[in-house]
Amino acid sequence: MTSVITTRTRETAPTERTRRNRWSTGRLLRRLPWWLIALVLLGGALLWVYPFLWMLSASLKDNIEVFSSSLSLLPESAVFENYGRAWSDANFSGYMWNTIIVTVVTVVLVVIRCAMAGYVIGRYGFFGKKTVVVVLVATLFVPTGYTIIPVVDITQQLGLLNSLTGMIIALSGGGHVAAILLYAGYFRQVPRELEESATVDGAGFFTIFLRIMLPLAKPITATVTLLTFLSTWNAFFLPLVFTFSRPDLRTLSVGMQAFVGENTTDWAGMAAAATISLVPVIVLFVVLQRRFVEGFAGAIKQ
Amino acid sequence: MSSAITGHQDLLSAPDARRSRSRRLGRQQLWIWLLLTPTVVLYGLYTVYPVIASYWYSFVEWNGFESQKRFVGLQNFRDVFADDLFWNSFKVTLLFMVVVVPLKVILSLLLAIVLNSPKLPFSTLLRTAYFLPVVTTTAIVGVVMQFVFDPASGPANQLLRTFGVSEGVNFLGDSSTALWTAAGVYVWKWFGITMIYWLAALQTIPDEVYEAARMDGAGALRLLRHITLPLLRPFLIIITLLSLESSLRVFDLVLTLTGGGPFYSTEVVEIYIYRWAFSATIPQLGYASAAAVIFGLFVFFVGLFQLLGIRSVQRARAAS
């Protein structure tokens, strides 16, 4: 720890010499503790992503190889038939399709309903506003395990149990209070003059919302889209309970559970199925990393 | 369009203006409620109603969604309270929370402090790696981890054997280790999110504060102790409470990792409810609802505690 202190204090007053020689020995030596820390952390990071690397490698091995030498990550020769087995035999193509439909429609519904609710809550006083806000905040942390029985009961009574429609409505209906609060917080600080001048120009209530306010809130929409995408793609409890008697409607997460229940010894197939299910979110994360981080960090800054 | 017309009338005559103004406000109220309708209907149906309905369901005997409900009064609650396995699930939930939250909050703070330094090489790469598990599907990760910790051929045990540490641990199959393994997987899975919270918190501290302290001759350790940590204290409360709340929601992970076993050693309350409502041969929905109501009240009080904590933090911040 002492070495860290010295680097800090010396770094604070950079002399002419260090500025001239970026790569001088003294500077490198002072940076050494940080390189050591980075090395340790890189080791930790490797351990951190190891389960995914193992999964990827197991998906390219045949089952005998997975059982015998699972420590070596490189397969002797890449076997792609595991993917074929998971994709068509185990119906992961169907599960993928279900997941995409459910996720896309849910995201659209959530963005629309949360933007509208956030807009009026953040910008207008109205009769019953306090009640609405109190109810939303009070139920912010209600766990799925608590509400699942009435939710199934309602969906059953609506005749929507065992259908993707029912799943979508339930997923977009419950929760997402944070998205409403995000929108409300954003719309609250948009200056009044904006809609006053629009009113003078003859724009009505809904036109102002749709043409002026919603485009302004693009960063919030991006965050809400991303977070809702993630929570819906990864949802498990509700899709599980909603598809008990309709295996063809399973989403990826539920299909995975069923797959290992039926094929306990097909490790390579399991790994391929898991890879198929995880690749979309991981690719999205790597591409939109900054947005992800900002989206999650936004929650704490409020 | 109509608002533009009323705008002109405002200029023309006063009494007319007042009437059209109230009409405009009335129309505005209509629009407001129209925009709220989807949320009120959906959220009401799928969150607010279930919260209330659970109370009614907890007073009935109800063996399956298609069958009749029969009012039994407090019988369900009496049965739940008399069931040792319910108390076991409550204990498991609490134990899980108490182990997981400090581990996650403290370790991620340490990592965030190091990652926040501009002198650390590869900090973006490191942040990505440690955050990666957060975005992945919990239920799938649970299944994969079941194989990673397999007693015979799982890589975790192969590693232990290669280094000669042990002859193999049945991480998930032994009731003395299963909960700790699940807790470890949970910390691994959600560690990245608290790390991001902490990084966001660290970025709220302006550089000038550090510079001023360095001018006064403070070293890194003293900066950490006297500036960083005190300024992070309000965030500590928020982050801890957020972590407490999310550690109560582990259904996906536990169901796919262990299914609550072996011998109920990892059965958290949500799994207990699920077992009675959905995986019993004769579903006991009323009984499960009673357990859910008790659990819901518990979560509510943790949440209330949380809001009070945040409120007091905000007040302290406003005062300073």
Side-chain angles (χ1 to χ4, degrees), chain A residues 8 12 41 139 153 234 289, chain B residues 43 57 128 130 137 188 214:
Chain A
R8 272 269 191 180
T12 52
L41 290 180
T139 52
D153 189 36
N234 294 344
Q289 206 194 127
Chain B
Y43 196 74
Y57 293 170
T128 309
Y130 286 103
T137 313
W188 168 80
R214 278 197 215 110

Side-chain angles (χ1 to χ4, degrees), chain A residues 68-283:
Chain A
S68 58
S69 66
S70 31
L71 265 194
S72 146
L73 285 177
L74 280 178
E76 281 162 20
S77 61
V79 184
F80 288 99
E81 66 185 28
N82 301 321
Y83 283 91
R85 207 162 58 241
W87 186 253
S88 39
D89 296 0
N91 195 26
F92 269 70
S93 54
Y95 301 157
M96 174 71 85
W97 189 230
N98 292 337
T99 312
I100 291 174
I101 293 175
V102 169
T103 306
V104 169
V105 180
T106 302
V107 166
V108 171
L109 285 178
V110 167
V111 166
I112 294 174
R113 93 164 163 87
C114 292
M116 295 199 303
Y119 175 63
V120 291
I121 288 173
R123 245 179 135 62
Y124 293 95
F126 54 89
F127 180 73
K129 177 175 176 173
K130 198 153 192 193
T131 319
V132 171
V133 173
V134 166
V135 168
L136 284 180
V137 173
T139 52
L140 189 57
F141 293 114
V142 171
T144 321
Y146 177 26
T147 56
I148 191 77
I149 296 170
V151 163
V152 172
D153 189 36
I154 270 193
T155 317
Q156 166 111 330
Q157 282 172 23
L158 292 173
L160 294 171
L161 201 65
N162 300 316
S163 74
L164 288 184
T165 319
M167 201 192 293
I168 288 166
I169 292 180
L171 280 173
S172 56
H176 306 294
V177 177
I180 297 180
L181 297 181
L182 266 177
Y183 271 114
Y186 183 84
F187 284 125
R188 190 176 301 127
Q189 44 88 33
V190 175
R192 281 261 163 238
E193 291 80 43
L194 215 63
E195 70 211 292
E196 270 161 19
S197 65
T199 314
V200 170
D201 289 344
F205 188 93
F206 195 68
T207 317
I208 292 177
F209 167 69
L210 200 67
R211 301 272 150 143
I212 298 170
M213 292 300 175
L214 207 54
L216 270 181
K218 244 179 219 149
I220 304 294
T221 304
T223 306
V224 170
T225 303
L226 208 61
L227 296 186
T228 312
F229 172 88
L230 206 61
S231 68
T232 315
W233 188 276
N234 294 344
F236 177 63
F237 203 158
L238 222 130
L240 171 73
V241 172
F242 272 48
T243 55
F244 275 141
S245 48
R246 283 290 298 276
D248 56 312
L249 294 181
R250 284 172 186 150
T251 57
L252 288 167
S253 55
V254 182
M256 188 74 200
Q257 165 87 347
F259 179 74
V260 290
E262 287 153 18
N263 314 280
T264 34
T265 51
D266 188 2
W267 285 37
M270 176 285 299
T275 310
I276 291 173
S277 315
L278 290 186
V279 154
V281 265
I282 290 182
V283 166

Side-chain angles (χ1 to χ4, degrees), chain B residues 2-277:
Chain B
S2 60
S3 50
I5 299 166
T6 52
H8 283 294
Q9 279 174 345
D10 271 345
L11 299 171
L12 294 174
S13 62
D16 254 12
R18 205 175 303 139
R19 205 171 53 218
S20 67
R21 194 178 129 80
S22 76
R23 199 169 55 201
R24 201 183 67 198
L25 282 181
R27 182 168 297 173
Q28 187 178 312
Q29 290 287 317
L30 198 73
W31 270 114
I32 286 170
W33 275 98
L34 214 60
L35 259 63
L36 271 178
T37 305
T39 293
V40 169
V41 171
L42 282 172
Y43 196 74
L45 214 53
Y46 285 98
T47 303
V48 180
Y49 168 76
V51 168
I52 299 162
S54 293
Y55 282 87
W56 156 238
Y57 293 170
S58 67
F59 293 113
V60 298
E61 190 185 297
W62 185 23
N63 303 324
F65 286 100
E66 268 124 25
S67 62
Q68 290 293 314
K69 303 182 185 80
R70 192 171 62 85
F71 185 78
V72 291
L74 288 170
Q75 191 55 45
N76 286 326
F77 286 97
R78 249 174 263 140
D79 291 346
V80 170
F81 282 128
D83 185 8
D84 287 341
L85 282 177
F86 173 74
W87 292 113
N88 170 66
S89 72
F90 222 87
K91 196 191 80 196
V92 169
T93 304
L94 279 177
L95 197 62
F96 190 83
M97 185 165 98
V98 170
V99 170
V100 144
V101 172
L103 213 62
K104 193 169 78 130
V105 170
I106 295 169
L107 288 180
S108 63
L109 172 62
L110 294 178
L111 186 65
I113 288 175
V114 180
L115 283 184
N116 195 43
S117 165
K119 291 195 212 86
L120 185 79
F122 306 120
S123 59
T124 315
L125 179 74
L126 288 168
R127 198 186 63 187
T128 309
Y130 286 103
F131 190 74
L132 185 69
V134 172
V135 301
T136 56
T137 313
T138 315
I140 302 220
V141 163
V143 170
V144 172
M145 284 304 190
Q146 212 180 306
F147 290 86
V148 169
F149 288 111
D150 186 86
S153 312
N157 271 308
Q158 296 222 346
L159 201 73
L160 288 184
R161 271 194 289 269
T162 312
F163 288 101
V165 185
S166 92
E167 272 308 295
V169 182
N170 196 351
F171 287 101
L172 294 167
D174 188 328
S175 53
S176 62
T177 51
L179 185 63
W180 311 119
T181 311
V185 173
Y186 178 87
V187 172
W188 168 80
K189 174 78 174 64
W190 296 110
F191 179 86
I193 200 154
T194 26
M195 180 189 77
I196 291 299
Y197 289 163
W198 280 123
L199 280 171
L202 282 167
Q203 261 138 42
T204 62
I205 305 175
D207 280 340
E208 293 85 58
V209 180
Y210 286 118
E211 257 150 49
R214 278 197 215 110
M215 293 283 203
D216 295 340
L221 213 58
R222 291 185 64 187
L223 281 181
L224 190 68
R225 232 189 97 195
H226 295 288
I227 295 185
T228 314
L229 293 183
L231 284 174
L232 286 181
R233 195 174 302 146
F235 291 100
L236 175 70
I237 297 177
I238 298 170
I239 292 173
T240 306
L241 293 168
L242 279 177
S243 304
L244 282 177
E245 202 66 58
S246 60
S247 75
L248 292 171
R249 276 172 282 180
V250 286
F251 176 83
D252 299 9
L253 186 69
V254 175
L255 190 75
T256 50
L257 199 61
T258 63
F263 307 112
Y264 307 104
S265 61
T266 57
E267 188 173 79
V268 290
V269 179
E270 278 189 312
I271 304 271
Y272 180 87
I273 297 167
Y274 173 80
R275 182 159 62 83
W276 283 104

Side-chain angles (χ1 to χ4, degrees), chain A residues 1-9 33-34 37, chain B residues 119 219-221:
Chain A
M1 252 331 191
T2 45
S3 55
V4 180
I5 300 174
T6 47
T7 36
R8 272 269 191 180
T9 40
W34 287 103
I37 292 176
Chain B
K119 291 195 212 86
L221 213 58

